[in-house]
Amino acid sequence: EAWDALSWNLALALAITYLLMAALFESWLYPFVIILTVPLGAVGGVLGLFVLNFFIFQSLDVLTMLGFVILVGTVVNNAILIVHQSLHYMRDGMAPRQAVPESVRTRIRPIFITTTTTVLGLLPLVVFPGAGSELYRGLGAVVLGGLILSTAFTLFLVPAVFVLTMDAKQFVMGLFQRVAR
């Protein structure tokens, strides 16, 4: 019963996140590239919970499942930085194959700083025992694992997918232009 309720909330969180990014980017295409980081976060969340279970058993309770909903809003931040900076460089006249690596180069420091502070802030919740820590330990492990894995893959996957998406967009636009003539 709890899983049914939370799966609906997870789908709603994904839809709201996608629609918000579509409104902000004024495109349906760019948020699709960004939302691809959510499954990476979910895999990292499962791995984080798996690693935690080597040391302390943590069941998949409601608060732990809530960690996956929190991941939807958290893991997209790094991809948003890369895509936004790439679009900024492309508006200034750079080609996508030059703009994307340059955006990763300029945004890697803020990505690592925010990820490091979040990881270091969540680590005591997961690692140290204390009053109430058993209640939120699963949530912390899911968010911690999801954030670490998604950050690592975001730096490689999002640039590659974004370049391929921009190439496909350019190809389709070229086809439409040829048909229109």
Side-chain angles (χ1 to χ4, degrees), residues 2 16 18 23 25 38 68 77 82 86 104 109 122 126 129 132-133 139 142 145 157 161 163 167 178:
I16 289 172
Y18 183 82
F25 283 114
V38 173
F68 289 101
N77 292 336
I82 292 172
S86 298
V104 172
R109 185 174 179 209
L122 280 173
V126 177
S133 68
L139 183 140
V142 166
L157 183 70
V161 170
V163 166
D167 287 347
R178 278 187 236 136

Side-chain angles (χ1 to χ4, degrees), residues 24 28 52 61 66 73-74 99 108 111 121 126 132 164:
L24 291 173
W28 294 101
L52 179 66
D61 58 1
L66 187 63
T74 307
I108 196 165
I111 287 172
V126 177
L164 291 174

